[in-house]
Amino acid sequence: MELFLNRISDGLSNGATYALIAMALVMIFKATTLINFAQGEFAMFGGFIALVLATEQGIPMWGAVFGSMVITAVCAAGIERTLIRPFDPSDHLPLVIITLGLFLGINALAGIIWRFDPRAFPELFPSGNALTYGTATLSWYTVGTLVTIAVVSGGLTLLLNKTKIGLAFRAVSSNLESSELVGIKVGPTLQFGWAIAAAVGTLGVCVFVASPFRQLEPNVMVTGLIFAVSAAALGGLDSLGGAIVGGLAIGLVQSIAVPYLGVPSELSLLAAVAVLMLVLLFKPSGLFGTPQVERV
Amino acid sequence: MSDTSTTTDLVLDVKGLEGGYGQIQVLHGLDFHVADGEIVVILGANGAGKTTTLRAVSGMIPRTGSVKLRGEDISNAKAPDLVRKGVAHVPQGRGTLPELSVEDNLRVGAYIRDDNEVDADIDKWFGVYPVLGERKNQRAGSLSGGEQQMLAVSRALMSRPSLLLLDEPSLGLAPIIVAELFERFAEINKETGTTMLVVEQNAQLALGIGDRGYVLESGEIFTEGPADDLINDDAIRKAYLGV
């Protein structure tokens, strides 16, 4: 029983990271129906920038994370302007290839700058346990990851529903032509989505590697992205709330179902892919997504 | 219209308009104009180029020729810029934002505005179309066809345009709803002085509220004149009014 509770706690903290990256994917998918395969690498790069700001510039850890979120947002906005916007948004294949290219390029760039050996990342949350029940524990780290997704989803909801740029973003997500006809400039609005997504992803990686059991290295998000894509697809690719539920669910599948079903932990990635496949087969719009309607 | 009218009276002055889609040219040099406060109707059969004309005017497709808005050349302006110059376009097939609530549709209609009267204007349209007010939190996509058209028109007028382009507002709507809609257009035109360019297949109704009309055939203007003349013209009656 206590082992089970510990696995739930682990699953939730892993799931929270998948949820954050999944929310970043959803932001871009909502507006463009495109999955940015480089999202995890943007985030990994952001993690390194935060580490550099903290260890080399001496900025307090949360300040470094915030600074890195701003820097990656600006970089993502630049990438959107130079590598994404010149292409026809309705033709997905070239765009997918560009995001795959970015995936490889950013990964290699991080390797060149910071090498591939793992580095310790300062903790963002207090160490120790918030609750103890026998040998079962709920660490402050798990609590912190859950609070983080609550804050991010609250912030994104406010941003999308209470601000003018949020309204424009939702309009562009709904219908491009009608958005242009009310005077919205589609390019800069999508750029805003890329920037926000990159910032959220960076926060996701920082929280992920802030675990005392993890370290930061350039490949840290390679498998993480697959979990995040599965999480986003499970929740419904255009639903932020769905990304959270999907992320936590994938995290729990990984930490509970996999050991109890006797799946070797090396194959836990496969479990995520299996979930993804089942979703696409039986409920393509995911748990909370909008069923696909013909966009005119 | 007398020849003494100058360009300042003309809200829209179009000369030699050509446009189309890819390799296919649809418009073969149209000349037409819309004077301040007028309701001008463009009639024509399917495929005559009515929708293309409106899309060319509002910068949604590549076009050549001269398009002037109150004397200012807008031949190269794109759709988002034209809204800022006071042109609102209600595209064919409603043109609402289906995933947004009714209220957000109106709010986004005022996207270009910075004043404090947006909320008051939203309430005004809920007054004009109470059914929209009752459903303000509902997704626009869940409204009926007639309600969506009311929303699309209100959304366009939220930008406080001086020129409203309406693309077949009657399409797919029950006759009684269409009649109400057109009555409302006439009222809005009288009350606010909003100039309107309406593309329609329903000639009877459109000419009923219109001042002048153009008849389009295969991308060219076949005939033009005051609405009353067109409505009584035998050839037009046979071809477009079905009587």
Side-chain angles (χ1 to χ4, degrees):
Chain A
M1 179 63 191
E2 281 134 357
L3 180 62
F4 179 70
L5 290 176
N6 277 333
R7 282 179 172 158
I8 288 185
S9 168
D10 285 350
L12 290 177
S13 66
N14 283 345
T17 306
Y18 305 149
L20 285 167
I21 306 284
M23 279 194 266
L25 292 171
V26 165
M27 279 294 287
I28 290 182
F29 185 88
K30 266 173 93 72
T32 59
T33 65
L34 177 76
I35 290 179
N36 176 13
F37 287 102
Q39 197 73 63
E41 301 310 287
F42 281 15
M44 171 275 294
F45 210 87
F48 272 106
I49 293 173
L51 187 63
V52 167
L53 290 179
T55 56
E56 293 174 19
Q57 306 294 324
I59 298 172
M61 203 49 221
W62 275 109
V65 170
F66 186 73
S68 173
M69 288 168 70
V70 172
I71 292 169
T72 45
V74 171
C75 293
I79 287 173
E80 188 280 336
R81 183 68 192 87
T82 51
L83 293 176
I84 303 293
R85 206 182 299 176
F87 293 87
D88 175 5
S90 61
D91 189 3
H92 281 184
L93 189 57
L95 291 169
V96 165
I97 291 170
I98 288 169
T99 68
L100 286 174
L102 283 168
F103 173 98
L104 296 171
I106 294 172
N107 186 279
L109 186 63
I112 291 167
I113 302 176
W114 292 296
R115 314 247 161 251
F116 283 93
D117 15 284
R119 297 173 185 221
F121 196 86
E123 291 188 20
L124 286 168
F125 306 110
S127 50
N129 296 317
L131 282 175
T132 311
Y133 174 79
T135 57
T137 56
L138 179 67
S139 67
W140 281 114
Y141 173 74
T142 301
V143 174
T145 57
L146 294 175
V147 169
T148 305
I149 53 171
V151 169
V152 170
S153 66
L156 285 181
T157 306
L158 284 180
L159 185 68
L160 290 180
N161 292 305
K162 298 289 174 202
T163 66
K164 200 165 182 179
I165 180 83
L167 179 65
F169 184 79
R170 286 186 294 130
V172 168
S173 307
S174 183
N175 186 321
L176 279 182
E177 186 168 276
S178 294
S179 301
E180 290 197 312
L181 287 178
V182 296
I184 295 170
K185 294 199 158 70
V186 171
T189 308
L190 294 179
Q191 191 176 33
F192 160 82
W194 278 74
I196 295 293
V200 169
T202 291
L203 180 61
V205 158
C206 291
V207 166
F208 188 62
V209 294
S211 158
F213 306 110
R214 286 198 200 92
Q215 292 182 305
L216 180 62
E217 46 106 6
N219 289 326
V220 70
M221 270 298 117
V222 173
T223 52
L225 180 76
I226 295 174
F227 287 111
V229 171
S230 307
L234 176 61
L237 276 165
D238 60 357
S239 163
L240 285 171
I244 296 176
V245 174
L248 295 178
I250 294 279
L252 290 172
V253 166
Q254 189 191 10
S255 70
I256 297 175
V258 170
Y260 283 111
L261 293 174
V263 181
S265 63
E266 289 79 5
L267 287 183
S268 69
L269 189 61
L270 200 62
V273 177
V275 169
L276 175 63
M277 215 180 74
L278 290 172
V279 171
L280 292 177
L281 201 55
F282 294 108
K283 202 165 186 317
S285 58
L287 295 174
F288 304 98
T290 318
Q292 199 60 45
V293 283
E294 198 56 42
R295 284 177 190 244
V296 190
Chain B
M1 164 146 325
S2 68
D3 287 333
T4 54
S5 69
T6 58
T7 49
T8 49
D9 296 312
L10 292 184
V11 174
L12 191 66
D13 190 12
V14 177
K15 289 208 168 70
L17 183 66
E18 295 184 354
Y21 305 93
Q23 298 288 323
I24 302 156
Q25 191 182 349
V26 178
L27 308 175
H28 303 279
L30 304 186
D31 297 345
F32 61 93
H33 62 268
V34 183
D36 202 9
E38 266 190 321
I39 298 182
V40 171
V41 182
I42 296 182
L43 301 170
N46 277 333
K50 304 187 299 293
T51 294
T52 310
T53 304
L54 281 199
R55 292 173 70 88
V57 166
S58 66
M60 294 162 75
I61 55 168
R63 77 279 208 206
T64 56
S66 146
V67 182
K68 283 188 176 148
L69 185 72
R70 295 186 191 282
E72 182 189 355
D73 183 40
I74 56 162
S75 307
N76 296 314
K78 293 253 183 284
D81 303 318
L82 277 186
V83 188
R84 290 176 173 78
K85 295 183 192 295
V87 181
H89 184 153
V90 180
Q92 200 177 49
R94 326 295 176 235
T96 54
L97 296 152
E99 277 91 19
L100 268 56
S101 70
V102 169
E103 186 174 343
D104 279 345
N105 264 273
L106 294 180
R107 201 168 290 285
V108 87
Y111 182 74
I112 57 160
R113 289 170 52 184
D114 287 320
D115 56 84
N116 303 320
E117 292 168 19
V118 173
D119 286 321
D121 272 16
I122 290 174
D123 286 339
K124 183 182 97 182
W125 290 111
F126 287 161
V128 173
Y129 294 119
V131 65
L132 296 182
E134 289 160 22
R135 308 200 167 169
K136 64 179 179 180
N137 295 319
Q138 227 170 291
R139 277 166 41 140
S142 69
L143 299 180
S144 73
E147 289 159 0
Q148 287 200 39
Q149 193 61 275
M150 293 171 199
L151 180 59
V153 171
S154 313
R155 199 259 291 135
L157 289 167
M158 282 298 294
S159 70
R160 294 190 170 173
S162 58
L163 173 62
L164 181 63
L165 310 176
L166 293 160
D167 194 350
E168 283 212 48
S170 76
L171 195 75
L173 299 181
I176 178 149
I177 294 180
V178 175
E180 278 174 26
L181 209 55
F182 275 76
E183 256 172 57
R184 194 70 71 190
F185 294 155
E187 279 174 30
I188 291 166
N189 170 259
K190 271 206 199 75
E191 284 165 16
T192 65
T194 309
T195 308
M196 298 184 187
L197 179 60
V198 190
V199 148
E200 254 302 336
Q201 285 208 54
N202 190 330
Q204 192 102 48
L205 257 168
L207 290 174
I209 65 162
D211 298 303
R212 287 185 307 114
Y214 295 86
V215 178
L216 215 57
E217 209 172 85
S218 307
E220 287 174 64
I221 288 174
F222 168 67
T223 183
E224 60 180 279
D228 292 342
D229 292 0
L230 290 178
I231 234 170
N232 295 319
D233 185 306
D234 272 350
I236 308 276
R237 289 167 68 90
K238 282 205 183 73
Y240 300 103
L241 302 180
V243 287

